[in-house]
Amino acid sequence: AQSVSQHNHHVILSEAASLELGCNYSYGGTVNLFWYVQYPGQHLQLLLKYFSGDPLVKGIKGFEAEFIKSKFSFNLRKPSVQWSDTAEYFCAVNTGNQFYFGTGTSLTVIP
Amino acid sequence: GAVVSQHPSWVICKSGTSVKIECRSLDFQATTMFWYRQFPKQSLMLMATSNEGSKATYEQGVEKDKFLINHASLTLSTLTVTSAHPEDSSFYICSVPGRQYTEAFFGQGTRLTVV
């Protein structure tokens, strides 16, 4: 069965620090990859997605992610985090008509 | 993108009663909707796929008689938790896939507490 792994369960950073959240998936076929963010008390929102083309994709709010096919990875990055980035981050994989989510990473940014 | 509205946002009910949660796609006709359950600090676990005009498809381990799903129209799916028990307390989220599943749009979730 397909699975999505997020290795960092809880990350605490100071403002202006750089962020990288890991995401690995297990599926040998063609996949679409997503990062969603869930701010406290809000619904999940799309940060960015990758379907094909340039493996480095840029999303909203300064986030980017790099698809490395050989490593089955889609890590999320941001060069300088802000307090407002405090949220839960979910990596997701779409294979055909199903979405599979990682366990999520809770990011806390300290002002 | 699609706007998905879920109602209620939170509900408290007594053990043994039933609770209905609505998921509406406000600007997008959805033949398919997904229902997820999210435990604290855990991922979204797919419970079932709701199909307009036909029976829902349940994931392994999900009791279809306990979690009744009805997808009566292209804009509304309902999840009814029947004979709720405290262990059913959780956060339930519905989702509408975009065209060709290029994205998933989420409702704001329903916090169910069974006392």
Side-chain angles (χ1 to χ4, degrees):
Chain A
Q2 294 80 4
S3 69
V4 182
S5 300
Q6 289 181 244
H7 314 297
N8 316 102
H9 297 293
H10 193 182
V11 174
I12 302 174
L13 295 172
S14 297
E15 273 194 319
S18 64
L19 169 73
E20 180 160 4
L21 301 181
C23 173
N24 288 91
Y25 63 93
S26 63
Y27 184 71
T30 301
V31 296
N32 299 322
L33 300 158
F34 306 81
W35 274 98
Y36 281 88
V37 60
Q38 187 176 29
Y39 297 105
Q42 297 188 28
H43 62 276
L44 278 84
Q45 303 171 40
L46 181 68
L47 267 182
L48 48 78
K49 59 185 177 183
Y50 171 81
F51 290 163
S52 62
D54 189 343
L56 182 62
V57 293
K58 296 189 183 300
I60 61 172
K61 304 186 180 185
F63 286 92
E64 64 179 32
E66 184 175 13
F67 170 53
I68 302 179
K69 189 174 182 179
S70 60
K71 295 184 178 180
F72 296 89
S73 70
F74 190 56
N75 293 354
L76 180 71
R77 299 194 293 249
K78 185 171 183 178
S80 177
V81 295
Q82 301 173 314
W83 174 79
S84 58
D85 293 324
T86 295
E88 194 86 15
Y89 293 81
F90 293 92
C91 180
V93 169
N94 165 239
T95 62
N97 60 354
Q98 288 280 16
F99 289 88
Y100 298 92
F101 290 85
T103 51
T105 297
S106 175
L107 172 65
T108 302
V109 180
I110 302 171
Chain B
V3 177
V4 181
S5 176
Q6 209 171 319
H7 177 82
S9 297
W10 58 272
V11 58
I12 302 173
C13 71
K14 291 184 177 180
S15 186
T17 62
S18 296
V19 174
K20 179 185 285 188
I21 303 170
E22 294 186 346
C23 180
R24 293 182 183 274
S25 177
L26 299 183
D27 58 354
F28 186 80
Q29 291 188 330
T31 56
T32 300
M33 292 186 183
F34 299 113
W35 285 97
Y36 295 89
R37 184 173 178 176
Q38 185 181 26
F39 292 98
K41 304 303 181 184
Q42 294 190 29
S43 181
L44 282 73
M45 300 301 298
L46 180 65
M47 298 176 65
T49 302
S50 174
N51 304 300
E52 188 268 335
S54 65
K55 293 182 179 180
T57 305
Y58 290 82
E59 294 299 300
Q60 191 173 8
V62 177
E63 298 176 59
K64 61 181 181 181
D65 295 329
K66 181 168 187 62
F67 298 99
L68 300 178
I69 291 173
N70 184 281
H71 195 149
S73 75
L74 289 172
T75 59
L76 174 64
S77 175
T78 60
L79 168 67
T80 301
V81 183
T82 62
S83 186
H85 291 283
E87 57 264 31
D88 298 324
S89 297
S90 192
F91 196 58
Y92 294 87
I93 304 173
C94 71
S95 170
V96 172
R99 296 186 191 282
Q100 298 182 339
Y101 292 78
T102 54
E103 190 175 338
F105 302 96
F106 292 87
Q108 69 271 41
T110 297
R111 172 73 61 193
L112 170 63
T113 302
V114 184
V115 297

